[in-house]
Amino acid sequence: MQIEAFLHEISRFFLTPVLILLAAMFGYALYCLGALLAEAVLRRLRGHGRRPLARWLHARPDASPERLELHVLRRLELQRIVSRTAPMLGLVATMIPMGPALVAVSSGDAKGMAQQLVVAFAAVIVALLSASITFVVQAVRRRWLLEELDGLIGARGAGHA
């Protein structure tokens, strides 16, 4: 019985940090979405975006194509991490309150059960929204960066960079 109580306390301890992480991921996802929309507007107005790879390459003219590709991966890494870990953290934040909710059901405490379920469902919704937004942003940014990378590598091969 002690091991069950220990595991229950560990899971309760992690609820607050997981909820904080989910809130931060949601804020980050909204920031990424806003930045993507701003860049999309600039691309429409100017015909191309900020061209971050060209600026990076201009500062490092001797960089290899592999190093340039690694830079692309680094630029997308946090969005990829958020899109993959947010659903897992959402599941964690959903499951932790389910134990107390089940206890509340068994004791006839509908209000206690409802309070626990509100936290559980809100957490999974925020997590899935965060993952969805960052996944879409990452996919679009990846395409834009790869298009720019292709143009830069082609220009370098032709001796124009």
Side-chain angles (χ1 to χ4, degrees):
M1 192 65 162
Q2 288 179 349
I3 188 74
E4 292 91 350
F6 176 69
L7 291 176
H8 176 71
E9 288 304 314
I10 288 174
S11 70
R12 283 188 47 218
F13 172 78
F14 280 106
L15 181 59
T16 301
V18 167
L19 292 175
I20 291 169
L21 272 173
L22 286 174
M25 287 180 171
F26 186 68
Y28 176 72
L30 292 178
Y31 168 79
C32 288
L33 182 60
L36 181 81
L37 293 174
E39 187 171 349
V41 168
L42 288 176
R43 284 174 163 270
R44 282 211 185 256
L45 294 175
R46 296 183 188 162
H48 60 78
R50 299 174 311 181
R51 300 185 44 87
L53 297 180
R55 283 196 318 261
W56 185 86
L57 190 59
H58 182 71
R60 296 159 192 82
D62 60 334
S64 67
E66 293 81 15
R67 193 162 171 220
L68 191 54
E69 281 186 65
L70 184 59
H71 178 69
V72 168
L73 292 174
R74 281 190 190 121
R75 288 184 57 94
L76 299 172
E77 190 168 34
L78 188 54
Q79 293 163 14
R80 183 172 188 263
I81 289 170
V82 170
S83 71
R84 301 239 176 157
T85 59
M88 291 182 272
L89 290 176
L91 180 60
V92 168
T94 301
M95 297 309 294
I96 292 171
M98 293 303 271
L102 291 173
V103 170
V105 167
S106 69
S107 65
D109 180 13
K111 184 179 178 183
M113 178 200 65
Q115 289 173 337
Q116 295 296 326
L117 291 180
V118 165
V119 172
F121 290 122
V124 78
I125 289 166
V126 167
L128 292 174
L129 284 171
S130 301
S132 299
I133 291 168
T134 53
F135 176 79
V136 169
V137 169
Q138 181 209 7
V140 172
R141 281 202 188 282
R142 182 175 184 267
R143 181 177 48 84
W144 287 348
L145 289 169
L146 290 177
E147 286 171 354
E148 184 182 356
L149 178 64
D150 185 52
L152 288 171
I153 290 174
R156 274 183 127 187
H160 296 96

